[in-house]
Amino acid sequence: MKFDIKKLLSNQLVIPFAAIIILCLVNLGYDIVKDASFFSIEVVTNNSGNSVFSGPLITILDYGSELAILAIGMTLVTAASGGQDISVGATIAIAGSAMLRVLCGGNTRPEVLATPIIVGFLVACIVGMLCGAFNGMLVAIFRIQPMIATLILFTAGRSIAAWINNNELPIVPDPKFAYFGSFIPGVPIPTTVFIAAACIITAALLLKFTNLGLYTQAVGINESSSRLNGINPTAIKFISFIILGLCVAVAALIKVSRLSTINYSVIAKDIEMDAILAVALGGNALSGGKFNLWASILGAYIIQFLTTTLYRFKVDSAALPAYKAIVVILLVVFSSPVVRQKMQQFSSSRAAAKKEVA
Amino acid sequence: MKKRTIALLSAAIMTFSMAACGGNTGATTTTTSSSSSSSSSSSSAASSSSSSSSASTDTGAGSADTGAAAASGELIRVGIINNDPNESGYRTANVKDLQDMFKPENGYDAQFAYSLKNDEQIQAAQGFITDEVDYLLLSAADTAGWDGVLKDAQAAGIKVILFDRTIDADPSLYEASIVSDMAKEGETAVNWLAGQGLDEYNVIHIQGVMGSAAQQGRSGALDAKAAAEANWNIVEQQTAEWNAEKAQQIVQSVIDSKTPFNVIYAENDDMAKGAVAALDAAGISHGVGKDVIVMGFDCNKWALEELLAQNWNYDGQCNPFQASYIDQIIKTLESGATIDEKTIIMDEKGFDAETITQQDVDDYGI
């Protein structure tokens, strides 16, 4: 039986799984030392009188949802355009603001909802897709570098969000609206988990039953040859940004629902960096081309796992970005051509040594 | 391809670090607005409302000579330089308060200029000096760079009154400075908490953006008390950077770790709201007579309503209403008297859920 380390190392999922194992071990070690229980899940009664699951693992699944949803869109954008959208945090603010504007009918403190929640959500979807279309237009048609193109909404987005609601911070009165960010009565699992699952399944079906995945990779690997093969690169890039816009709208629903209000300047702050990191953690090339959606989604939950673990260790929350930066540095180093080559040399020389012994 | 990847990632890292040290003001982060170290906060606030950050000089009240003049018949001309009203809920309330005070009915002919950028504010100040206003009222975006223009004002015989924010300039260049005392806000809150007579205080302390005046003042009092008293423990001290979502996650992590706590001391209302969301999800009761005491700052209207409903216990005020103080100073100066104490600290209240009334919510909610 031959253990093929070369094949294992070349698998894309090796990085995310290694990260999960390391994080689990770190937490297990902490449990043993401090006599805590990271992996226990218990049932508590929340303040609305429902029995719900509670525990660090539930926290990770709950708070990782928005990121997982964004990672879907970000993976497609990265694969198709070879660049990243850095405006998702700001567009979450815009979509969330539009949703509140519709739900509250321009009133800061309404007694009842002006429109049903579904209408508000659909408006958010349209607004999210419009923002995506704007970015997509700049990237696909005007061929602007994605990070530069999305810098526009990154800078202006939060002002636009403030303007939509006339600088007021509306509060949604309906307790049903809070279900999307917490729990539905009678269901012990956070609603966000179901929303994320629905998005992931939809994306999986989309990739399985359409050629979108193949076309996206083709455009990302070589735009001109894919054009020669009858694929329209402009359309594919455009579509990837629109899908990201839709993901943004869903993430905005969760974010706004968590607190039933919005704060334009801080909602989903820095989430774009986490989303890009999720794609990178999944072992996807940030320069586009081949991608693995599952690895990105796994990457998103790993980031939340890391955040939860760091909070558990009482790491200063202001220092969290520094830890994430360390992860980025490690990823970049390990995926750099120089290190890859060295590792391949190492494993092949080991294989050769084994052969000699045999 | 790989080179580009690395370039992009290093750009990403840079943005990370920028995000880490960039102070944050925003729609309801009312406290940073009164921070004197506003260089970082003003830059981020500028980006968050860049659409309206240009210095716009509004002379709407300028034609007031024909208005219902005050008894003296002669209107006092004031030039008011403030930060952008979109900066925060605090600023919105502040601007409205000033506009209500400085109008012809009260004997003033006022011009307003708003900007989050220091250089634009200085330009506006020079404009007002050229216009020969009687008084220059100033809430500076940045503490530095004001000496020159204030000397010009002095030479032109224009009296300068600072409000909300102090500047690094010689006190002889201005008549008075009306500010909040953040340390006192913290002391008021901590004294109130001490008055609750709990056997043991296990406090989750959620801080604002580190280094801002509001954070330093409000943290200082609690830190001192926790160091002095044996039964005061800070079980968790983290900055949530005025952000409700972050506060929610921090409190969630304490709940997950099963550390017992009975007080949440959040340095603004938003973070208190995030903390309460985490408590609600975990089924921990909070408010008057419940398991956990919830404390916030800034007196947003919705927060005072939470107090009225007894879901929270305490809210400390950060007073944006400086206009009446300024009015008094101008009246004193006009009558020929002098101001003895240049730095004037405003009265700031702390509201207790057990005694707050609807009247308080209407009067003090911002």
Side-chain angles (χ1 to χ4, degrees), chain A residues 1 8-9 15-16 42 60 106 213 216 220 255 264 268 276 321-322 336 357:
Chain A
M1 188 67 198
L8 185 77
L9 276 178
I15 296 177
E42 47 188 56
I60 293 169
T216 304
K255 282 274 182 212
Y264 317 110
I276 295 169
S336 74
V357 172

Side-chain angles (χ1 to χ4, degrees), chain A residues 59 159 167 169 263 315 317, chain B residues 28 48 86 238-239 256 270 280:
Chain A
T59 304
S159 311
N167 252 310
L169 307 173
N263 185 333
V315 170
S317 65
Chain B
T28 60
S48 72
N86 295 335
Q238 281 278 27
T239 171
D256 285 341
D270 270 21
D280 280 337

Side-chain angles (χ1 to χ4, degrees), chain B residues 83-281:
Chain B
N83 293 280
D84 195 285
N86 295 335
E87 179 205 53
S88 60
Y90 174 93
R91 190 63 56 192
T92 313
N94 178 246
V95 166
K96 193 174 174 298
D97 182 47
L98 290 167
Q99 284 174 340
D100 287 348
M101 171 59 76
F102 295 101
K103 52 189 181 184
E105 291 91 89
N106 294 328
Y108 291 104
D109 170 9
Q111 302 181 50
F112 296 89
Y114 302 109
S115 174
L116 288 166
K117 292 186 186 137
N118 218 33
D119 52 337
E120 289 177 352
Q121 285 195 334
I122 290 173
Q123 260 178 22
Q126 268 152 353
F128 287 146
I129 293 168
T130 319
D131 264 11
E132 295 180 328
V133 294
D134 300 318
Y135 290 89
L136 192 61
L137 313 183
L138 172 65
S139 171
D142 211 334
T143 52
W146 285 95
D147 292 80
V149 71
L150 292 192
K151 274 178 189 145
D152 289 350
Q154 203 166 39
I158 296 168
K159 297 190 170 98
V160 177
I161 298 170
L162 307 180
F163 62 96
D164 173 36
R165 294 181 182 184
T166 53
I167 54 172
D168 293 331
D170 194 87
S172 66
L173 291 174
Y174 53 86
E175 302 298 323
S177 156
I178 299 149
V179 290
S180 294
D181 185 349
M182 302 290 181
K184 200 171 148 214
E185 288 174 18
E187 274 164 32
T188 313
V190 170
N191 288 341
W192 174 87
L193 184 57
Q196 299 304 297
L198 304 181
D199 296 332
E200 199 171 34
Y201 291 88
N202 293 314
V203 185
I204 297 181
H205 181 191
I206 304 169
Q207 297 168 295
V209 168
M210 301 303 283
S212 62
Q215 179 272 323
Q216 287 176 333
R218 292 167 190 180
S219 293
L222 183 63
D223 283 343
K225 188 76 175 174
E229 305 279 341
N231 61 343
W232 285 57
N233 310 310
I234 295 181
V235 297
E236 179 79 325
Q237 185 170 47
Q238 281 278 27
T239 171
E241 297 175 329
W242 312 124
N243 185 338
E245 296 165 42
K246 266 196 173 174
Q248 190 179 5
Q249 280 215 32
I250 289 166
V251 174
Q252 182 70 52
S253 83
V254 181
I255 294 169
D256 285 341
S257 73
K258 302 200 167 44
T259 314
F261 60 92
N262 57 4
V263 179
I264 290 195
Y265 184 96
E267 289 177 3
N268 81 352
D269 288 337
D270 270 21
M271 298 193 293
K273 188 183 178 104
V276 165
L279 295 183
D280 280 337

Side-chain angles (χ1 to χ4, degrees), chain A residues 37 40 42 44-48 52 54-56 59 63 81-84 109 145 147 154-156 158-159 162 167 169 171 183 220-221 255 258-261 263-270 273-274 276-277 280 285-287 304 307-308 311-312 314-318 321 324-325 328-329 332 335-337, chain B residues 1-2 4-6 8-9 11-13 15-17 19-20 22 24-29 46-51 85-87 92 210 235-246 248-250 252-259 270 273-274 276-286 301-302 305:
Chain A
S37 52
S40 76
E42 47 188 56
V44 299
T45 308
N46 73 3
N47 280 358
S48 320
V52 298
S54 171
T59 304
Y63 289 93
S81 70
Q84 285 73 39
R109 306 297 303 279
Q145 230 272 323
M147 241 183 210
F154 173 80
T155 319
R158 292 180 189 276
S159 311
N167 252 310
L169 307 173
I171 297 175
F183 296 89
I221 292 167
K255 282 274 182 212
R258 280 196 198 280
L259 297 162
S260 289
T261 184
N263 185 333
Y264 317 110
S265 63
V266 295
I267 188 172
K269 198 162 164 279
D270 301 340
M273 292 306 147
D274 282 351
I276 295 169
L277 183 53
L286 291 185
S287 48
Q304 187 56 45
T307 309
T308 305
Y311 274 132
R312 192 159 183 251
K314 300 203 182 297
V315 170
D316 193 344
S317 65
K324 286 178 190 164
V328 174
I329 291 165
V332 173
S335 59
S336 74
Chain B
M1 288 295 242
K2 289 287 178 193
R4 223 163 100 209
T5 311
I6 292 166
L8 288 181
L9 271 166
I13 295 165
T15 321
F16 266 131
S17 53
N24 178 317
T25 57
T28 60
T29 57
S47 69
S48 72
S49 59
S50 52
S51 62
N86 295 335
E87 179 205 53
T92 313
M210 301 303 283
V235 297
E236 179 79 325
Q237 185 170 47
Q238 281 278 27
T239 171
E241 297 175 329
W242 312 124
N243 185 338
E245 296 165 42
K246 266 196 173 174
Q248 190 179 5
Q249 280 215 32
I250 289 166
Q252 182 70 52
S253 83
V254 181
I255 294 169
D256 285 341
S257 73
K258 302 200 167 44
T259 314
D270 270 21
K273 188 183 178 104
V276 165
L279 295 183
D280 280 337
I284 297 168
S285 68
H286 51 86
K301 200 162 218 150
W302 54 263
E305 281 163 4

Side-chain angles (χ1 to χ4, degrees), chain A residues 205-218:
Chain A
L205 291 177
L206 192 68
L207 290 182
K208 191 166 169 59
F209 291 107
T210 68
N211 290 328
L212 184 70
L214 181 68
Y215 286 2
T216 304
Q217 301 199 12

